[in-house]
Amino acid sequence: MKDHLVRVANEADFILSRQRAEDIHKHAEFESACAQYSAEKRDEEKMCDHLIRAAKYRDHVTATQLVQKIVNILTDKHGAWGASTISRPREFWRLDYWEDDLRRRRRFVRNPLGSSHSQATLKAAAENVGNINVSEDDVLKGKRSLKNQAAAAAHHDPESDAPMDADDDALSSLEEKELENFTGPVNVSTAAQLLAPAAVVRGTLSVTASELYFEVDEEDPAFKAIDPKILAYTEGLHGKWLFTEIRAIFSRKYLLQNTALEIFMANRTAVMFNFPDAATVKKVVHSLPRVGLGTNFGLPQTRRISLATPKQLFKASNMTQRWQRREISNFEYLIFLNTISGRTYNDLNQYPVFPWIITNYEVDQLDLTLPSNFRDLSKPIGALNPKRAAFFSERFESWDDEQVPKFHYGTHYSTSGFALTWLLRMEPFTTFFLNFQGGKFDHADRTFSSVSRAWRNCQRDTSDVKELIPEFYYLPEMFVNSNSYNLGVMEDGTAVSDVELPPWAKTPEEFVRINRQALESEFVSCQLHQWIDLIFGYKQQGPEATRALNVFYYLTYEGAVNLNSINDSVVREAVESQIQSFGQTPCQLLIEPHTPRSSAMQVYLLLQTPLMFTEQMQQDVIMVLKFPSNSPVSHVAANTQPSLAAPAVITVTASRVFAVNKWHGLAGHSVSSMQQQTDQQYQLPVEIDPLIASNVGSQRRQISDLLDQSIQISSQCFVVTADNRFILLCGFWDKSFRIYSTDSGKLTQIVFGHRNVVTCLARSESYIGGDCYVLSGSRDATLLLWYWNGKLNSIGESSSSISTPRAILTGHDCEVTCACVCAELGLVISGCKEGPCLIHSMNGDLLRTLEGPEGCVRPRLLQASAEGHCVIYYDEGHFGLFSINGKLLGRIRAEDNIKAMLLSRDGQYLLTGGDGGVITVLAVHQLKALFAYPGCDAGIRSMAMSHDQRCIIAGMASGSIVLFYNDFNRWHHEYQTRY
């Protein structure tokens, strides 16, 4: 009995113990779940707090910018308080981050942070902190300050690793679901680094269903160590970007690792991020819109394309074929190669690289027909001088360090130091350079001060194998010390200021123009593929690189090191420092020789176009078309692209009768026109509008609404949309401008906004779908910028709602008489009845005043090209040529009273016509007359050019249009290779 009781008691004790253990386990599980829930809630609250704080910061920044904009508008010399401002502080300028279609950054904007950096002048050589140009060891030392910041920012604190791992877990489960069904507000959140030209900052990147956020970690010691002047020039520290603004997404390398992304925005800037690993990059891309690389390179807009390797992009794109067929320029092709191979303005260590082209910097006149004036592009810069090539070859052969593979060059052709050396005279690069150099300019003898000296150094100095940057081919301002920096005195007593140009270039503009011309020359076209082989192609690495004398230090090549496999933080920091010091070679794009470009002769034969070298095949005057009304043809628009449903030449007379004249094209000049002629036997390029010719239903072509009596009808009163379907007309007494259908003649929209009669209209180039900007100028001395919606065929979001302008542009004192808007440059240029022309940015900031030369006070006509030139015609025959940054480049006076002018697409030629009835072709850079067409029997009132630029259509005061045959190539070859 006793044994039984003991056994039962033991069993009961065991059961109770087990239950107690289960209770403890359940309690522990409960506590763990509570802790986990609390941690998740804390993280969520932290994230919300984080986002709220970031939103507040952004709102504060936006508000500050708006207040500053209002103050600028009021206190500018053209503003309401302009006259009362007694003493103005000196204005400083900086290069804007805005890029045009060829990724050129040319626009300068006011710089409130600007200074002449008087404290940065180096008093003696002994004070020099770093030296960019002397030896490879010094390259390493001179970059230490910037490098340490970047290296510090590349590490993660142990405390921050835990939440990052948790985020990764959340993200991995996310892949199994549709992102659209995600319940939380944030789809992806990850640790990231914002990569800016002179700073790398850690923070958190968050992606919601419609927006992208970056919030910098301000508590990070590396962030606190960054110079506040650098941070002031760094955009996106508390960034927010809408999905609708994203235009392209590229995979990028950072420190030779494939862990970065560069995102291009609608406002023509780009932002770049680095992530913990490649898997995170993939998750972020999959949570962003499917935009691919944009619409430029003939590639589908998919996420797969954004994640493709540079090699795959090169193979899949149509740009090489387009370059070979000469549809794009050498400059455009090099920019494309730089872009897909990972070169970026956001990482100075991977700045775009361009070749030296010209070798002669000594003569007074440069002959671009002499091969001896061109560099041999089949050799790297280090192998051009035979003596120096022998030195590098011997170094390679005698190298015996087993730890480091053999190399010819210890320095690279492109490093952050070299980029800053070239761009030293412009902000924000001046500030970046000073930060890089310990707050002081370099010794005067080592500063970039002469183009010919820089070329000589690249031929003789064994530690200088620098190639160029794209700015050498488009940015004259980089050679001018416009901020008056004291850059020191060289040992021979010469003070360093503006860059000394070769004798054959009298101005920076001329140097850039001739340099670009050399780049586009036949000598370069036929051997550029060999330079591409060295930088981007099969001679970049391996035995071919050895044979070509083209091997660099091993840590400059992609795949040379896996940083994640280095556990020792000291070693990793040292490797990162080396990568940043020695430069980085672009990603290799091809492993076989690049195909050469087709010759110009071959291309012209294939296109069946008249050769520039042969006798002219066409008469100057192709046809004359007379309209029954006899009223002067005040406006001509030629939207003749073959892709349009109905290519046409639209004319509008002074009596507001318009005609939609069908375009057939020039016979024998293109395949499409030949096909059209087999369909319809119409030999002349333009067929008169049948409604006008037959006079049946011609009331559909009459705009009968009354204009203000004081308005003088001119070409600038009209705008025709890119698809030929609508005419916009201004000058109405009710202060509106109106939109009419060209098909039915009916009024489709009335747009109000001005406080007085609208006097001129202009439109920008069209985007895909027909969207464009429309600009209206008025007697109220303001301009309004509107957005034309190509889908809805109206100004604004819908034709029924009240339209609001995108920007209001002020600064004129009287009636606006002429204006143009260039969407690619983001600029609006306008002139008024009395006074100077003004340049505004498209968001309304007044950037520049174009003060006309003596005698030029009343601007009447205005044309700007995407190449950055602005031509203004003033009363009494005066012309002024300006750069978009406000510099007067030239002036002439014409005998004729000019009524119409037109710039060619490349901005090299200007067509003018006036009361004399003669169309004259001028070379823009000299404003020199090249050719005059036969005179007409009446004055010219308007002009347009066909899409292929082969036909000039002039609207005459006699009520007819005259078509002239045009070929810019004849002047291109006759004039442009002689100086």
Side-chain angles (χ1 to χ4, degrees):
M1 185 66 184
K2 185 179 175 184
D3 292 344
H4 176 71
L5 287 172
V6 169
R7 195 165 62 249
V8 170
N10 285 341
E11 282 177 7
D13 188 44
F14 175 74
I15 290 166
L16 287 170
S17 297
R18 195 168 63 187
Q19 282 180 336
R20 271 198 303 273
E22 279 178 7
D23 286 347
I24 290 166
H25 180 66
K26 282 179 181 173
H27 187 67
E29 272 186 349
F30 174 72
E31 282 190 334
S32 170
C34 287
Q36 191 178 344
Y37 180 77
S38 300
E40 284 173 2
K41 280 294 170 195
R42 268 200 310 275
D43 285 348
E44 205 174 297
E45 284 169 13
K46 198 174 169 186
M47 172 63 74
C48 289
D49 190 44
H50 192 62
L51 292 173
I52 290 165
R53 210 168 55 244
K56 281 182 178 174
Y57 179 87
R58 275 191 300 276
D59 290 345
H60 172 71
V61 168
T62 306
T64 308
Q65 286 171 344
L66 283 171
V67 168
Q68 188 59 50
K69 184 176 174 179
I70 292 165
V71 169
N72 289 345
I73 288 170
L74 291 170
T75 58
D76 186 273
K77 65 180 178 181
H78 298 289
W81 301 343
S84 63
T85 310
I86 298 159
S87 63
R88 293 179 179 280
R90 181 180 167 187
E91 279 187 338
F92 290 95
W93 299 85
R94 70 168 177 84
L95 188 65
D96 196 18
Y97 296 127
W98 178 285
E99 297 177 11
D100 70 6
D101 288 348
L102 299 185
R103 302 210 56 203
R104 295 175 294 191
R105 300 186 299 173
R106 293 184 296 195
R107 198 171 84 172
F108 281 75
V109 294
R110 280 191 181 83
N111 182 16
L113 310 166
S115 103
S116 56
H117 293 294
S118 53
Q119 78 293 347
T121 305
L122 200 64
K123 302 299 181 204
E127 286 183 39
N128 193 23
V129 178
N131 168 9
I132 288 170
N133 295 321
V134 176
S135 73
E136 290 148 24
D137 292 337
D138 285 341
V139 170
L140 192 57
K141 288 175 196 162
K143 302 182 178 179
R144 190 71 68 186
S145 63
L146 186 67
K147 191 195 317 160
N148 288 346
Q149 291 168 13
H155 288 290
H156 297 289
D157 293 333
E159 294 171 340
S160 70
D161 280 348
M164 194 184 82
D165 293 340
D167 283 337
D168 279 352
D169 290 339
L171 290 168
S172 60
S173 65
L174 189 76
E175 287 179 324
E176 296 154 23
K177 308 175 195 171
E178 279 295 314
L179 284 169
E180 286 72 19
N181 299 334
F182 196 88
T183 51
V186 176
N187 290 343
V188 170
S189 180
T190 175
Q193 291 165 299
L194 175 71
L195 306 179
V200 178
V201 295
R202 285 180 52 207
T204 306
L205 186 87
S206 308
V207 187
T208 68
S210 61
E211 290 160 336
L212 174 72
Y213 295 89
F214 179 78
E215 179 63 18
V216 69
D217 179 5
E218 295 187 359
E219 301 307 311
D220 181 28
F223 178 80
K224 290 178 177 177
I226 297 175
D227 184 344
K229 289 176 190 167
I230 296 291
L231 293 175
Y233 285 115
T234 303
E235 298 186 350
L237 293 174
H238 298 269
K240 171 189 172 184
W241 301 272
L242 299 174
F243 280 9
T244 51
E245 294 171 358
I246 295 175
R247 292 289 176 269
I249 300 169
F250 283 81
S251 297
R252 289 282 184 245
K253 284 186 308 178
Y254 178 61
L255 295 175
L256 302 179
Q257 314 302 301
N258 295 310
T259 54
L261 279 181
E262 189 167 25
I263 302 171
F264 289 82
M265 301 294 168
N267 66 355
R268 292 180 177 264
T269 59
V271 62
M272 190 167 167
F273 299 104
N274 185 45
F275 298 98
D277 51 47
T280 310
V281 171
K282 200 171 179 181
K283 288 163 194 165
V284 171
V285 168
H286 279 282
S287 65
L288 291 173
R290 291 186 186 87
V291 292
L293 308 186
T295 54
N296 294 341
F297 306 144
L299 295 166
Q301 289 183 277
T302 61
R303 294 183 178 122
R304 189 174 57 81
I305 285 292
S306 288
L307 292 166
T309 65
K311 248 184 206 145
Q312 291 168 331
L313 294 178
F314 178 80
K315 203 170 178 182
S317 168
N318 64 1
M319 293 293 275
T320 302
Q321 291 75 26
R322 290 181 63 198
W323 175 70
Q324 287 172 299
R325 294 194 299 263
R326 292 176 176 255
E327 292 170 16
I328 61 173
S329 64
N330 290 337
F331 183 92
E332 189 169 351
Y333 189 54
L334 288 174
I335 280 287
F336 160 72
L337 295 175
N338 273 286
T339 301
I340 64 164
S341 69
R343 310 306 282 186
T344 167
Y345 295 124
N346 281 312
D347 183 357
L348 292 175
N349 291 298
Q350 301 185 78
Y351 208 81
V353 56
F354 265 59
W356 285 94
I357 296 294
I358 297 169
T359 58
N360 190 337
Y361 295 96
E362 311 303 328
V363 294
D364 289 335
Q365 286 199 313
L366 184 68
D367 186 349
L368 288 182
T369 62
L370 281 182
S372 58
N373 288 334
F374 289 83
R375 164 201 173 172
D376 180 355
L377 287 166
S378 66
K379 294 176 181 173
I381 203 85
L384 292 175
N385 177 346
K387 193 185 278 186
R388 197 170 66 149
F391 167 82
F392 289 131
S393 184
E394 188 186 339
R395 171 201 269 178
F396 185 87
E397 297 305 330
S398 60
W399 189 261
D400 59 356
D401 187 338
E402 291 180 7
Q403 300 296 314
V404 178
K406 292 180 174 184
F407 59 88
H408 293 115
Y409 315 107
T411 52
H412 205 253
Y413 49 77
S414 171
T415 68
S416 57
F418 296 161
L420 292 175
T421 299
W422 296 131
L423 300 170
L424 166 69
R425 289 165 177 79
M426 304 182 303
E427 289 286 17
F429 302 102
T430 313
T431 299
F432 298 165
F433 182 92
L434 292 173
N435 176 265
F436 189 80
Q437 285 277 111
K440 296 288 183 187
F441 289 120
D442 202 351
H443 191 269
D445 285 279
R446 288 192 294 258
T447 299
F448 170 46
S449 57
S450 158
V451 177
S452 61
R453 195 178 301 116
W455 169 250
R456 278 199 306 275
N457 287 345
C458 289
Q459 298 310 295
R460 298 174 186 172
D461 192 334
T462 54
S463 61
D464 188 350
V465 290
K466 289 196 292 287
E467 290 281 13
L468 298 184
I469 55 175
E471 283 80 354
F472 268 81
Y473 296 94
Y474 71 82
L475 193 68
E477 288 84 358
M478 71 176 278
F479 303 102
V480 182
N481 184 15
S482 56
N483 292 317
S484 310
Y485 301 136
N486 184 350
L487 298 171
V489 179
M490 292 192 282
E491 286 179 7
D492 63 4
T494 311
V496 176
S497 183
D498 292 351
V499 175
E500 184 189 324
L501 299 170
W504 46 259
K506 305 296 180 280
T507 63
E509 287 75 19
E510 189 175 18
F511 173 77
V512 164
R513 182 177 60 78
I514 294 173
N515 217 23
R516 174 72 193 270
Q517 214 161 307
L519 178 68
E520 301 301 341
S521 69
E522 203 55 38
F523 289 116
V524 173
S525 289
C526 67
Q527 55 168 337
L528 186 59
H529 63 283
Q530 295 178 306
W531 185 82
I532 292 168
D533 286 335
L534 293 167
I535 306 298
F536 304 101
Y538 81 111
K539 290 184 181 177
Q540 189 197 85
Q541 298 180 50
E544 290 292 345
T546 306
R547 270 196 285 277
L549 228 69
N550 193 38
V551 180
F552 292 86
Y553 188 73
Y554 81 104
L555 278 181
T556 66
Y557 294 100
E558 65 172 322
V561 63
N562 179 4
L563 291 177
N564 289 334
S565 67
I566 303 173
N567 297 320
D568 188 327
S569 61
V570 177
V571 174
R572 177 169 173 149
E573 188 171 340
V575 172
E576 286 179 356
S577 296
Q578 282 187 304
I579 293 169
Q580 286 191 318
S581 299
F582 288 109
Q584 293 173 44
T585 303
C587 296
Q588 192 172 16
L589 298 177
L590 66 170
I591 51 174
E592 64 280 336
H594 191 292
T595 45
R597 199 178 198 196
S598 303
S599 72
M601 181 79 79
Q602 189 182 354
V603 168
Y604 280 98
L605 284 170
L606 281 172
L607 290 175
Q608 297 180 330
T609 55
L611 288 174
M612 60 188 92
F613 314 106
T614 64
E615 292 289 319
Q616 191 182 333
M617 289 170 61
Q618 290 275 351
Q619 295 299 313
D620 285 327
V621 179
I622 303 168
M623 69 175 286
V624 179
L625 186 63
K626 184 81 176 73
F627 294 105
S629 71
N630 290 332
S631 179
V633 178
S634 295
H635 185 80
V636 179
N639 296 309
T640 62
Q641 296 93 314
S643 57
L644 286 175
V649 172
I650 291 185
T651 57
V652 193
T653 67
S655 56
R656 302 190 303 289
V657 174
F658 65 90
V660 183
N661 308 289
K662 194 170 181 184
W663 174 259
H664 294 284
L666 298 180
H669 282 284
S670 68
V671 177
S672 60
S673 66
M674 288 164 68
Q675 284 170 347
Q676 283 173 353
Q677 281 159 17
T678 54
D679 298 339
Q680 180 181 0
Q681 294 300 315
Y682 193 87
Q683 296 305 312
L684 295 171
V686 174
E687 179 183 354
I688 192 168
D689 187 331
L691 291 184
I692 294 291
S694 64
N695 213 12
V696 176
S698 58
Q699 72 280 357
R700 274 173 55 187
R701 299 290 192 243
Q702 171 80 51
I703 298 172
S704 55
D705 295 350
L706 291 177
L707 299 189
D708 190 274
Q709 289 181 340
S710 62
I711 281 289
Q712 282 189 317
I713 292 277
S714 73
S715 186
Q716 294 171 104
C717 295
F718 305 92
V719 157
V720 175
T721 57
D723 57 5
N724 292 321
R725 292 178 56 205
F726 295 90
I727 293 176
L728 285 68
L729 171 59
C730 68
F732 294 97
W733 60 271
D734 62 358
K735 304 162 191 171
S736 69
F737 65 91
R738 304 185 183 189
I739 298 160
Y740 297 87
S741 162
T742 55
D743 182 40
S744 64
K746 286 180 180 168
L747 175 66
T748 62
Q749 191 180 7
I750 302 178
V751 183
F752 293 99
H754 287 282
R755 303 174 73 90
N756 207 329
V757 175
V758 181
T759 50
C760 63
L761 290 173
R763 77 165 169 88
S764 70
E765 59 276 35
S766 278
Y767 297 120
I768 293 167
D771 289 12
C772 65
Y773 288 96
V774 170
L775 184 69
S776 59
S778 165
R779 280 191 188 145
D780 65 12
T782 67
L783 297 111
L784 300 181
L785 187 68
W786 311 82
Y787 198 74
W788 170 263
N789 189 315
K791 261 188 192 163
L792 301 171
N793 296 314
S794 69
I795 298 279
E797 296 310 309
S798 69
S799 51
S800 58
S801 65
I802 296 171
S803 306
T804 52
R806 291 288 179 99
I808 302 170
L809 283 54
T810 62
H812 288 296
D813 292 329
C814 52
E815 174 183 332
V816 178
T817 55
C818 51
C820 69
V821 51
C822 182
E824 188 176 334
L825 298 177
L827 295 176
V828 171
I829 307 170
S830 56
C832 65
K833 207 166 189 175
E834 303 279 340
C837 292
L838 303 179
I839 301 182
H840 289 82
S841 69
M842 279 170 54
N843 58 5
D845 294 320
L846 177 54
L847 298 180
R848 300 279 182 175
T849 303
L850 301 180
E851 297 284 359
E854 193 182 343
C856 303
V857 287
R858 296 187 184 88
R860 289 292 168 261
L861 300 168
L862 200 151
Q863 283 272 307
S865 74
E867 290 300 306
H869 287 125
C870 175
V871 182
I872 301 169
Y873 172 71
Y874 300 87
D875 266 1
E876 299 173 2
H878 293 280
F879 282 92
L881 172 66
F882 296 86
S883 79
I884 56 163
N885 290 314
K887 184 177 178 182
L888 177 66
L889 302 176
R891 63 170 298 187
I892 55 163
R893 188 167 184 185
E895 298 299 317
D896 200 357
N897 179 23
I898 302 299
K899 289 291 175 71
M901 68 180 191
L902 209 55
L903 277 170
S904 62
R905 198 176 296 124
D906 62 6
Q908 289 190 47
Y909 303 100
L910 175 71
L911 306 173
T912 64
D915 288 342
V918 176
I919 289 180
T920 308
V921 183
L922 297 97
V924 167
H925 68 272
Q926 299 165 302
L927 286 178
K928 175 184 172 185
L930 300 177
F931 182 78
Y933 282 94
C936 302
D937 58 357
I940 293 164
R941 291 290 173 267
S942 53
M943 254 194 303
M945 228 181 323
S946 61
H947 179 69
D948 60 6
Q949 301 195 105
R950 292 284 175 149
C951 187
I952 300 164
I953 302 122
M956 314 303 294
S958 58
S960 57
I961 56 171
V962 181
L963 275 68
F964 297 92
Y965 174 72
N966 174 53
D967 184 2
F968 287 127
N969 285 320
R970 53 178 149 169
W971 302 300
H972 179 84
H973 280 267
E974 192 176 337
Y975 287 87
Q976 288 211 341
T977 51
R978 296 189 190 139
Y979 295 95

